[in-house]
Amino acid sequence: MAKSTNIKSSLFLKYHLGQDDKGKEVFKTQTFNNVRTMAADEDIYSVGMALGSLLPDPVVEIFRKNTHLITES
């Protein structure tokens, strides 16, 4: 049987920059590494919203990416 261990978490903020010359929506993503792997999703979301409030552009999505190590138990 295999066992999964969360070894890394990152926070991603996707925000809206506006439109380009052709009217296409432009987005940018900012990454914050070294997020505690045991942090609750609600806490990650709260931090993302707080960081987003410091940006001049509106945050449209908050992502959390976890990297897991899978080993044989």
Side-chain angles (χ1 to χ4, degrees):
M1 179 179 255
K3 178 182 176 184
S4 175
T5 305
N6 189 1
I7 60 171
K8 180 181 175 184
S9 287
S10 299
L11 168 66
F12 294 82
L13 295 181
K14 181 178 177 181
Y15 51 97
H16 185 252
L17 293 177
Q19 296 180 341
D20 64 9
D21 296 338
K22 297 179 183 178
K24 183 179 176 186
E25 300 295 324
V26 178
F27 298 93
K28 184 171 183 175
T29 302
Q30 191 162 2
T31 306
F32 299 89
N33 293 311
N34 300 321
V35 173
R36 289 187 175 207
T37 57
M38 300 302 290
D41 290 340
E42 184 176 318
D43 295 333
I44 301 281
Y45 180 79
S46 296
V47 169
M49 292 299 291
L51 290 170
S53 71
L54 301 173
L55 297 172
D57 302 302
V59 172
V60 294
E61 292 179 321
I62 298 173
F63 293 91
R64 178 183 191 169
K65 180 180 176 184
N66 293 319
T67 302
H68 292 263
L69 175 64
I70 301 173
T71 58
E72 187 175 344
S73 53

